[in-house]
mmCIF file with all atom_site columns, all heavy atoms in Angstrom:
data_model
loop_
_atom_site.group_PDB
_atom_site.id
_atom_site.type_symbol
_atom_site.label_atom_id
_atom_site.label_alt_id
_atom_site.label_comp_id
_atom_site.label_asym_id
_atom_site.label_entity_id
_atom_site.label_seq_id
_atom_site.pdbx_PDB_ins_code
_atom_site.Cartn_x
_atom_site.Cartn_y
_atom_site.Cartn_z
_atom_site.occupancy
_atom_site.B_iso_or_equiv
_atom_site.pdbx_formal_charge
_atom_site.auth_seq_id
_atom_site.auth_comp_id
_atom_site.auth_asym_id
_atom_site.auth_atom_id
_atom_site.pdbx_PDB_model_num
ATOM 1   N N   . VAL S 1 207 ? -56.413 -6.355  150.603 1.00 0.00 ? 207 VAL S N   1
ATOM 2   C CA  . VAL S 1 207 ? -55.432 -5.364  149.965 1.00 0.00 ? 207 VAL S CA  1
ATOM 3   C C   . VAL S 1 207 ? -54.217 -5.343  150.873 1.00 0.00 ? 207 VAL S C   1
ATOM 4   O O   . VAL S 1 207 ? -53.015 -5.253  150.380 1.00 0.00 ? 207 VAL S O   1
ATOM 5   C CB  . VAL S 1 207 ? -56.143 -3.977  149.977 1.00 0.00 ? 207 VAL S CB  1
ATOM 6   C CG1 . VAL S 1 207 ? -55.106 -2.806  149.745 1.00 0.00 ? 207 VAL S CG1 1
ATOM 7   C CG2 . VAL S 1 207 ? -57.371 -3.882  149.107 1.00 0.00 ? 207 VAL S CG2 1
ATOM 8   N N   . ASN S 1 208 ? -54.412 -5.395  152.239 1.00 0.00 ? 208 ASN S N   1
ATOM 9   C CA  . ASN S 1 208 ? -53.196 -5.392  153.163 1.00 0.00 ? 208 ASN S CA  1
ATOM 10  C C   . ASN S 1 208 ? -52.335 -6.567  153.018 1.00 0.00 ? 208 ASN S C   1
ATOM 11  O O   . ASN S 1 208 ? -51.086 -6.510  152.920 1.00 0.00 ? 208 ASN S O   1
ATOM 12  C CB  . ASN S 1 208 ? -53.652 -5.369  154.555 1.00 0.00 ? 208 ASN S CB  1
ATOM 13  C CG  . ASN S 1 208 ? -54.305 -3.933  155.000 1.00 0.00 ? 208 ASN S CG  1
ATOM 14  O OD1 . ASN S 1 208 ? -53.960 -2.838  154.367 1.00 0.00 ? 208 ASN S OD1 1
ATOM 15  N ND2 . ASN S 1 208 ? -55.156 -4.009  155.850 1.00 0.00 ? 208 ASN S ND2 1
ATOM 16  N N   . ALA S 1 209 ? -52.923 -7.772  152.718 1.00 0.00 ? 209 ALA S N   1
ATOM 17  C CA  . ALA S 1 209 ? -52.205 -9.027  152.573 1.00 0.00 ? 209 ALA S CA  1
ATOM 18  C C   . ALA S 1 209 ? -51.471 -8.941  151.324 1.00 0.00 ? 209 ALA S C   1
ATOM 19  O O   . ALA S 1 209 ? -50.252 -9.367  151.283 1.00 0.00 ? 209 ALA S O   1
ATOM 20  C CB  . ALA S 1 209 ? -53.275 -10.122 152.514 1.00 0.00 ? 209 ALA S CB  1
ATOM 21  N N   . ILE S 1 210 ? -51.971 -8.395  150.146 1.00 0.00 ? 210 ILE S N   1
ATOM 22  C CA  . ILE S 1 210 ? -51.211 -8.352  148.875 1.00 0.00 ? 210 ILE S CA  1
ATOM 23  C C   . ILE S 1 210 ? -50.191 -7.272  149.025 1.00 0.00 ? 210 ILE S C   1
ATOM 24  O O   . ILE S 1 210 ? -49.151 -7.451  148.386 1.00 0.00 ? 210 ILE S O   1
ATOM 25  C CB  . ILE S 1 210 ? -52.212 -7.959  147.733 1.00 0.00 ? 210 ILE S CB  1
ATOM 26  C CG1 . ILE S 1 210 ? -53.350 -9.161  147.456 1.00 0.00 ? 210 ILE S CG1 1
ATOM 27  C CG2 . ILE S 1 210 ? -51.441 -7.808  146.486 1.00 0.00 ? 210 ILE S CG2 1
ATOM 28  C CD1 . ILE S 1 210 ? -54.387 -8.685  146.502 1.00 0.00 ? 210 ILE S CD1 1
ATOM 29  N N   . ASN S 1 211 ? -50.384 -6.172  149.804 1.00 0.00 ? 211 ASN S N   1
ATOM 30  C CA  . ASN S 1 211 ? -49.398 -5.116  149.837 1.00 0.00 ? 211 ASN S CA  1
ATOM 31  C C   . ASN S 1 211 ? -48.157 -5.699  150.558 1.00 0.00 ? 211 ASN S C   1
ATOM 32  O O   . ASN S 1 211 ? -47.031 -5.625  150.231 1.00 0.00 ? 211 ASN S O   1
ATOM 33  C CB  . ASN S 1 211 ? -49.934 -4.010  150.687 1.00 0.00 ? 211 ASN S CB  1
ATOM 34  C CG  . ASN S 1 211 ? -50.258 -2.806  149.804 1.00 0.00 ? 211 ASN S CG  1
ATOM 35  O OD1 . ASN S 1 211 ? -49.688 -2.534  148.812 1.00 0.00 ? 211 ASN S OD1 1
ATOM 36  N ND2 . ASN S 1 211 ? -51.248 -2.135  150.008 1.00 0.00 ? 211 ASN S ND2 1
ATOM 37  N N   . ASN S 1 212 ? -48.484 -6.464  151.664 1.00 0.00 ? 212 ASN S N   1
ATOM 38  C CA  . ASN S 1 212 ? -47.431 -7.129  152.445 1.00 0.00 ? 212 ASN S CA  1
ATOM 39  C C   . ASN S 1 212 ? -46.608 -8.106  151.706 1.00 0.00 ? 212 ASN S C   1
ATOM 40  O O   . ASN S 1 212 ? -45.297 -8.227  151.823 1.00 0.00 ? 212 ASN S O   1
ATOM 41  C CB  . ASN S 1 212 ? -48.004 -7.732  153.648 1.00 0.00 ? 212 ASN S CB  1
ATOM 42  C CG  . ASN S 1 212 ? -48.501 -6.672  154.701 1.00 0.00 ? 212 ASN S CG  1
ATOM 43  O OD1 . ASN S 1 212 ? -48.038 -5.551  154.685 1.00 0.00 ? 212 ASN S OD1 1
ATOM 44  N ND2 . ASN S 1 212 ? -49.357 -6.961  155.585 1.00 0.00 ? 212 ASN S ND2 1
ATOM 45  N N   . TYR S 1 213 ? -47.337 -8.887  150.789 1.00 0.00 ? 213 TYR S N   1
ATOM 46  C CA  . TYR S 1 213 ? -46.693 -9.941  149.987 1.00 0.00 ? 213 TYR S CA  1
ATOM 47  C C   . TYR S 1 213 ? -45.764 -9.263  148.901 1.00 0.00 ? 213 TYR S C   1
ATOM 48  O O   . TYR S 1 213 ? -44.668 -9.626  148.748 1.00 0.00 ? 213 TYR S O   1
ATOM 49  C CB  . TYR S 1 213 ? -47.851 -10.780 149.401 1.00 0.00 ? 213 TYR S CB  1
ATOM 50  C CG  . TYR S 1 213 ? -47.264 -11.519 148.173 1.00 0.00 ? 213 TYR S CG  1
ATOM 51  C CD1 . TYR S 1 213 ? -46.480 -12.703 148.412 1.00 0.00 ? 213 TYR S CD1 1
ATOM 52  C CD2 . TYR S 1 213 ? -47.593 -11.353 146.813 1.00 0.00 ? 213 TYR S CD2 1
ATOM 53  C CE1 . TYR S 1 213 ? -45.922 -13.447 147.378 1.00 0.00 ? 213 TYR S CE1 1
ATOM 54  C CE2 . TYR S 1 213 ? -47.181 -12.073 145.877 1.00 0.00 ? 213 TYR S CE2 1
ATOM 55  C CZ  . TYR S 1 213 ? -46.199 -13.256 146.110 1.00 0.00 ? 213 TYR S CZ  1
ATOM 56  O OH  . TYR S 1 213 ? -45.806 -14.045 145.084 1.00 0.00 ? 213 TYR S OH  1
ATOM 57  N N   . LEU S 1 214 ? -46.243 -8.167  148.286 1.00 0.00 ? 214 LEU S N   1
ATOM 58  C CA  . LEU S 1 214 ? -45.554 -7.545  147.276 1.00 0.00 ? 214 LEU S CA  1
ATOM 59  C C   . LEU S 1 214 ? -44.270 -6.933  147.792 1.00 0.00 ? 214 LEU S C   1
ATOM 60  O O   . LEU S 1 214 ? -43.188 -6.904  147.100 1.00 0.00 ? 214 LEU S O   1
ATOM 61  C CB  . LEU S 1 214 ? -46.331 -6.407  146.579 1.00 0.00 ? 214 LEU S CB  1
ATOM 62  C CG  . LEU S 1 214 ? -47.433 -6.897  145.726 1.00 0.00 ? 214 LEU S CG  1
ATOM 63  C CD1 . LEU S 1 214 ? -48.296 -5.795  145.200 1.00 0.00 ? 214 LEU S CD1 1
ATOM 64  C CD2 . LEU S 1 214 ? -46.980 -7.833  144.634 1.00 0.00 ? 214 LEU S CD2 1
ATOM 65  N N   . ALA S 1 215 ? -44.229 -6.625  149.116 1.00 0.00 ? 215 ALA S N   1
ATOM 66  C CA  . ALA S 1 215 ? -43.069 -6.015  149.630 1.00 0.00 ? 215 ALA S CA  1
ATOM 67  C C   . ALA S 1 215 ? -41.865 -7.062  149.787 1.00 0.00 ? 215 ALA S C   1
ATOM 68  O O   . ALA S 1 215 ? -40.667 -6.732  149.902 1.00 0.00 ? 215 ALA S O   1
ATOM 69  C CB  . ALA S 1 215 ? -43.485 -5.472  151.132 1.00 0.00 ? 215 ALA S CB  1
ATOM 70  N N   . VAL S 1 216 ? -42.212 -8.272  149.872 1.00 0.00 ? 216 VAL S N   1
ATOM 71  C CA  . VAL S 1 216 ? -41.235 -9.383  150.049 1.00 0.00 ? 216 VAL S CA  1
ATOM 72  C C   . VAL S 1 216 ? -41.132 -10.303 148.891 1.00 0.00 ? 216 VAL S C   1
ATOM 73  O O   . VAL S 1 216 ? -40.339 -11.234 148.777 1.00 0.00 ? 216 VAL S O   1
ATOM 74  C CB  . VAL S 1 216 ? -41.554 -10.219 151.348 1.00 0.00 ? 216 VAL S CB  1
ATOM 75  C CG1 . VAL S 1 216 ? -41.417 -9.253  152.551 1.00 0.00 ? 216 VAL S CG1 1
ATOM 76  C CG2 . VAL S 1 216 ? -42.882 -10.963 151.196 1.00 0.00 ? 216 VAL S CG2 1
ATOM 77  N N   . ARG S 1 217 ? -42.082 -10.024 147.807 1.00 0.00 ? 217 ARG S N   1
ATOM 78  C CA  . ARG S 1 217 ? -42.043 -10.947 146.676 1.00 0.00 ? 217 ARG S CA  1
ATOM 79  C C   . ARG S 1 217 ? -40.641 -10.698 145.993 1.00 0.00 ? 217 ARG S C   1
ATOM 80  O O   . ARG S 1 217 ? -40.227 -9.623  145.702 1.00 0.00 ? 217 ARG S O   1
ATOM 81  C CB  . ARG S 1 217 ? -43.120 -10.482 145.651 1.00 0.00 ? 217 ARG S CB  1
ATOM 82  C CG  . ARG S 1 217 ? -43.282 -11.202 144.385 1.00 0.00 ? 217 ARG S CG  1
ATOM 83  C CD  . ARG S 1 217 ? -44.224 -10.604 143.517 1.00 0.00 ? 217 ARG S CD  1
ATOM 84  N NE  . ARG S 1 217 ? -44.179 -11.147 142.052 1.00 0.00 ? 217 ARG S NE  1
ATOM 85  C CZ  . ARG S 1 217 ? -43.340 -10.751 141.146 1.00 0.00 ? 217 ARG S CZ  1
ATOM 86  N NH1 . ARG S 1 217 ? -42.534 -9.720  141.321 1.00 0.00 ? 217 ARG S NH1 1
ATOM 87  N NH2 . ARG S 1 217 ? -43.358 -11.225 139.951 1.00 0.00 ? 217 ARG S NH2 1
ATOM 88  N N   . PRO S 1 218 ? -40.011 -11.927 145.506 1.00 0.00 ? 218 PRO S N   1
ATOM 89  C CA  . PRO S 1 218 ? -38.734 -11.692 144.856 1.00 0.00 ? 218 PRO S CA  1
ATOM 90  C C   . PRO S 1 218 ? -38.784 -10.905 143.652 1.00 0.00 ? 218 PRO S C   1
ATOM 91  O O   . PRO S 1 218 ? -39.845 -10.978 142.936 1.00 0.00 ? 218 PRO S O   1
ATOM 92  C CB  . PRO S 1 218 ? -38.458 -13.163 144.417 1.00 0.00 ? 218 PRO S CB  1
ATOM 93  C CG  . PRO S 1 218 ? -39.244 -14.074 145.431 1.00 0.00 ? 218 PRO S CG  1
ATOM 94  C CD  . PRO S 1 218 ? -40.460 -13.288 145.718 1.00 0.00 ? 218 PRO S CD  1
ATOM 95  N N   . LYS S 1 219 ? -37.713 -10.133 143.379 1.00 0.00 ? 219 LYS S N   1
ATOM 96  C CA  . LYS S 1 219 ? -37.746 -9.213  142.197 1.00 0.00 ? 219 LYS S CA  1
ATOM 97  C C   . LYS S 1 219 ? -36.646 -9.645  141.221 1.00 0.00 ? 219 LYS S C   1
ATOM 98  O O   . LYS S 1 219 ? -36.616 -9.309  140.133 1.00 0.00 ? 219 LYS S O   1
ATOM 99  C CB  . LYS S 1 219 ? -37.479 -7.832  142.603 1.00 0.00 ? 219 LYS S CB  1
ATOM 100 C CG  . LYS S 1 219 ? -38.703 -7.320  143.535 1.00 0.00 ? 219 LYS S CG  1
ATOM 101 C CD  . LYS S 1 219 ? -38.358 -5.905  143.993 1.00 0.00 ? 219 LYS S CD  1
ATOM 102 C CE  . LYS S 1 219 ? -39.579 -5.407  144.640 1.00 0.00 ? 219 LYS S CE  1
ATOM 103 N NZ  . LYS S 1 219 ? -39.975 -6.100  145.852 1.00 0.00 ? 219 LYS S NZ  1
#
Side-chain angles (χ1 to χ4, degrees):
V207 171
N208 290 337
I210 295 173
N211 259 322
N212 292 334
Y213 167 71
L214 291 177
V216 298
R217 175 186 175 275
K219 296 177 176 59

